[in-house]
Amino acid sequence: MKQALCIDLSHRHAGKFHSLARPLGAALALALLLPFAGCQTAAPSAESIAQSFGEPPPVTLRDGDTVRFSFPRTPNLDTTQQIRRDGKIALPMVGEIDAVGLTPAELSKKASELYAKELVSDEVNVTVVSSSFPVFVIGAVMRPGKIQSERAITALEAVMEVGGFDFAKANQKAVVVVRREQGQVKSYTLNLRLALEGKATEPFFLKPSDIVYVPERFSWF
């Protein structure tokens, strides 16, 4: 899949749109900057592209997620916790541990290692009770705005969540996904028209806080 549009967030362009960064904040501002994009950001890595197409990206925990810790042999320690804004969770007997950025399996292993010093059985199971997966969809769609999902969704699913394309205006062949990754803003251009026509395509899975921008078709009138 070809990558299109690098983002230029220079003050020269950003200043024009600073007052528009409401109510979607940076999401709307970034999308409005797309027509002025330069080519100064690094291209998405092969790993990043591979995680976006085909299989859903691995679930990693974020602040605000709620997880359940189950102790099969000591159920009195079972607890359900929400990850705090500082990325930590407080557990009985072992105190605070970092959770953000880990998969449930990694957090389970980490908790087991800590409890190995306290319990005869160190088996700890971690499951996600609820997760916040915010995505912004703007442009030529029926109800632009922020949506929340409890799982990884595709760019097309996100568009459908806001009522679908505005077919009178939408350019379904040049939908742009804007993503902030490792301190850089990256963009991907998708032809979602192919999926609507029933043609075989690889689904593009979104990541939390991605912006899906549906541009309008060019018209002289």
Side-chain angles (χ1 to χ4, degrees), residues 55-115:
E55 294 295 326
V59 175
T60 56
L61 299 171
R62 307 173 66 244
D63 58 288
D65 289 353
T66 300
V67 293
R68 178 172 175 77
F69 292 81
S70 300
F71 299 77
R73 298 193 181 182
T74 49
N76 59 303
L77 291 177
D78 289 359
T79 181
T80 299
Q81 300 274 347
Q82 185 177 50
I83 302 175
R84 304 193 310 249
R85 293 180 66 89
D86 62 3
K88 297 180 182 294
I89 287 177
L91 292 176
M93 301 176 66
V94 297
E96 295 187 343
I97 62 174
D98 293 314
V100 165
L102 301 178
T103 66
E106 290 170 341
L107 182 57
S108 177
K109 180 180 178 182
K110 187 173 184 178
S112 295
E113 292 172 351
L114 293 173
Y115 276 103

Side-chain angles (χ1 to χ4, degrees), residues 1-218:
M1 177 69 69
K2 294 177 64 178
Q3 309 307 314
L5 298 180
C6 299
I7 309 298
D8 177 7
L9 296 180
S10 66
H11 294 294
R12 179 169 59 91
H13 293 146
K16 299 179 182 179
F17 299 101
H18 179 72
S19 62
L20 296 176
R22 312 186 191 100
L24 298 182
L28 181 56
L30 282 173
L32 290 173
L33 281 168
L34 286 173
F36 301 88
C39 287
Q40 297 181 1
T41 24
S45 67
E47 180 181 1
S48 172
I49 297 170
Q51 289 182 352
S52 298
F53 286 95
E55 294 295 326
V59 175
T60 56
L61 299 171
R62 307 173 66 244
D63 58 288
D65 289 353
T66 300
V67 293
R68 178 172 175 77
F69 292 81
S70 300
F71 299 77
R73 298 193 181 182
T74 49
N76 59 303
L77 291 177
D78 289 359
T79 181
T80 299
Q81 300 274 347
Q82 185 177 50
I83 302 175
R84 304 193 310 249
R85 293 180 66 89
D86 62 3
K88 297 180 182 294
I89 287 177
L91 292 176
M93 301 176 66
V94 297
E96 295 187 343
I97 62 174
D98 293 314
V100 165
L102 301 178
T103 66
E106 290 170 341
L107 182 57
S108 177
K109 180 180 178 182
K110 187 173 184 178
S112 295
E113 292 172 351
L114 293 173
Y115 276 103
K117 304 174 184 178
E118 307 292 339
L119 303 174
V120 175
S121 172
D122 62 353
E123 184 180 357
V124 183
N125 297 322
V126 176
T127 55
V128 179
V129 176
S130 65
S131 178
S132 175
F133 196 104
V135 174
F136 301 90
V137 186
I138 55 179
V141 294
M142 300 307 294
R143 298 188 302 273
K146 178 181 179 181
I147 62 175
Q148 294 277 2
S149 175
E150 293 187 354
R151 62 177 179 85
I153 60 174
T154 67
L156 183 57
E157 286 175 322
V159 171
M160 295 302 106
E161 284 285 337
V162 296
F165 294 102
D166 181 344
F167 287 101
K169 302 177 181 179
N171 182 354
Q172 303 151 20
K173 297 181 179 180
V175 176
V176 178
V177 174
V178 181
R179 174 176 297 167
R180 188 167 189 84
E181 232 173 17
Q182 298 177 345
Q184 295 182 323
V185 177
K186 303 172 183 178
S187 62
Y188 306 79
T189 299
L190 311 174
N191 183 350
L192 297 185
R193 180 68 177 271
L194 297 175
L196 293 177
E197 293 175 345
K199 298 178 181 178
T201 59
E202 287 286 344
F204 185 96
F205 282 93
L206 301 175
K207 294 185 177 182
S209 299
D210 276 359
I211 305 163
V212 181
Y213 170 63
V214 180
E216 295 187 9
R217 294 194 302 270
F218 178 79

